[in-house]
Amino acid sequence: MNSQRRGWRLWERISLRTKLTALSVALIGLLLAVSSIGTMTLLKTYLEKNTDDLLFSTVAALSHEDPDGLELRLAERKLQLPRLPMDYYIAYVDPQGGLLKSLVPAVTASEDLPDLTLFTTDYVAEMGEKPFELISTNEKAHTQKSWRILTSPITATTEGSLVVGIPTTSSDALLEQYRTIGNYFAAFLLLISGLAIWLTITSALKPLREVERTAAAVAEGDISQRLLQRAGRTEISRLNRSLNSMLNSIENAMTLRNGTLTQMRRFVADASHELRTPLVSVRGYAELYRMGALQKPEEVAEAMNRIESEAIRMTGLVESLLALARLDDDNKKTVGPVDLMGLARSAAKDSLAADASHSIELVDLLSVPVMPNATLEVEADANQIRQVLTNLLANAGRFAPIGSKVELAIGLPLGSHNKIARIEVRDRGEGIPLELREKVFERFFRADSSRNRETGGSGLGLAIVKSIVERHGGTIVADETPGGGATFRVDLPMTQADSQ
C-alpha cells in the first residue's frame, strides 16, 4: 500500500507534458510491437508453408522409388525432383532407423545432419506424415542446426522410411533480419514520434503558461490582467474566454466591494458625527440639569426641547437604517389599488407640517394645479409609495431655498397609453451636477460632504426610494429642473404582474 502511494505521489509530481508524451509514445510502442509480432508471425507462416510444400512434393516423388536405383534414375533424368534448396537432405532408413541410402548435396555434406536413429517405423507412424522441426547437434564442432523434416513409409519393395529434410537456416536468417530491421525502424519511429509529440504538446500547452502568468499577476493584486482572445472553438479558446469572463466578474465584484467599502466608511464617519453631536448635546444638557445649573423653568424647558430634538434626529437615522435593511431582507409587498393623488396630498401636508420654510404645490406634469377631487389609481403598496413621496419631498425641502416652491407633479406621460404613472418632485435649489445624478441613489452617498446638519442627510433616503421603486417594477432618475434646481422623476407601472 505504501509503495502504491509513493508511486502515485511520484506520478503526480511529473508534469502534464511529460505524462502525455510518455503515454503517447508508450501507445505507439505497443502498436508497433503488435504490428511487428503480427508481421513476423505471418512471414514465418509463409516461409514454413513454402518449405512444407517442397517437402510434400519431394516425399510424393520419392516415396515410391527403390533406394538402390534412385541415383541411376536421377542421373538418367528419369526422375525429376522439385526445386529444392542447395542444402537439402534425403535419406532412406530401415525399420530400425539405419541408413539405407542418402542424397546429400556437397554444400550439406559437411553440415550437421539429422540423427537418423530416431526415425524408426514406429516413430514415423507416430509423426503421421506431418512436417515438424528437428534440431541436430554436432558435438565435435559444438554447433546446432534446425531442420524442417517430413517422413513417410516407403511403398516400394524395401521396408523402411523416407526422410526428407530442409534446413531452416535461411528462413531463420531472413526472420532475424526482418526482426533487426523492425527493431531499428521502431526505435527510430519512437524517437521521431516522441520528439514530434513533445513539441506538439509543448505548443498546445503554451497558452496554459499564459494562464499561469495571468493567475500569478491576479494573485499579486493586478486584477486588470486578461488572457489573449483566441478565435475558434478550441479548448484553449473556450478556456480563455471563460477565464476572462470570470476575471471580469471578479474585477466588477471587487470594484463594487471597494466602492461599497468606501461608501460604508464615509457613511460610518457621517453617522458617527451625526450621532455623536446629538449624544453630546443630550449628555451636556443632562449633566447641566444634574449639576443644578438649570435653575429657571425656561432654561429647563429649553434643555428638554433640545434633548427631544436631538432624540428625534437620532430616531430618524436609525429608522432609515432599519427601513433599508427590511427592504433588503423582505421581498414581499402588499399590492392593491392606490390613489396617487390622495397619497400626494397627504404627503404634502405631512411635509409642510415638518418644515414650513417652503411651499408645496400639487400639479400635473405640465405644472397646472390639479383639481382637489382629481384621482390617479395604480396597483402598488400604499405604505411604500407614501415613503417614496415623503423621502423625495424631504430631500427637496432640504435643498430648496427658504420661501421657494416645491412642485409635486402627478400624471400620465405622453405616449404611455395609461400604462405608466409618473411622479415628479421639482425644487429650485442648486441642482445636481451631471456626474452625480446616478450616484445620489447609491447607499451612504451624500452630495453634500460637509456634514452640514441642516442640509446633510444620512445618505439613505434616496437609496430607500430607489429600492422601493425598483421593487414595483418602476424607474427613477435625477434630472435638471428647467430654470434651475433638481427634478426627481419616478415612473410606476399602472398594474403589477404579481404580488410577490
Side-chain angles (χ1 to χ4, degrees), residues 80-95:
Q80 293 290 333
L81 294 178
R83 297 177 62 86
L84 295 171
M86 298 297 296
D87 48 358
Y88 68 89
Y89 177 62
I90 300 175
Y92 289 89
V93 297
D94 59 23

Side-chain angles (χ1 to χ4, degrees), residues 10 13 104 111 133 151 194 237-238 311-312 362 397 443 469 491:
L10 180 61
R13 293 176 183 175
V104 184
E111 298 292 333
E133 290 190 2
T151 61
S237 63
R238 293 199 298 269
I312 292 173
L362 182 61
R443 299 182 183 186
V469 170
D491 286 340

Side-chain angles (χ1 to χ4, degrees), residues 145-162:
K145 191 172 185 179
S146 178
W147 294 83
R148 189 75 175 170
I149 302 294
L150 181 62
T151 61
S152 178
I154 300 175
T155 60
T157 56
T158 304
E159 293 183 359
S161 304
L162 171 63

Side-chain angles (χ1 to χ4, degrees), residues 301-329:
E302 182 182 359
M304 293 302 104
N305 289 334
R306 294 296 299 170
I307 290 175
E308 181 182 9
S309 175
E310 299 300 338
I312 292 173
R313 291 186 60 242
M314 288 188 292
T315 301
L317 178 61
V318 173
E319 287 179 350
S320 295
L321 288 171
L322 292 176
L324 196 56
R326 284 194 295 268
L327 289 173
D328 288 339
D329 296 336

Side-chain angles (χ1 to χ4, degrees), residues 380-391:
D381 187 316
N383 292 330
Q384 293 186 6
I385 299 301
R386 181 188 295 273
Q387 188 168 12
V388 168
L389 294 170
T390 300
N391 287 8

Side-chain angles (χ1 to χ4, degrees), residues 441-455:
F441 298 106
E442 296 178 1
R443 299 182 183 186
F444 318 122
F445 181 83
R446 291 177 51 170
D448 180 10
S449 60
S450 64
R451 299 195 185 102
N452 186 291
R453 294 182 60 188
E454 300 300 327
T455 62

Side-chain angles (χ1 to χ4, degrees), residues 46 84 139 200 205 211 244 250-252 258 294 315 440 458:
Y46 173 77
L84 295 171
E139 296 180 356
T200 302
L205 296 181
V211 173
N244 282 339
I250 293 175
E251 184 177 14
N252 292 336
N258 293 335
L294 302 176
T315 301
V440 293
S458 65

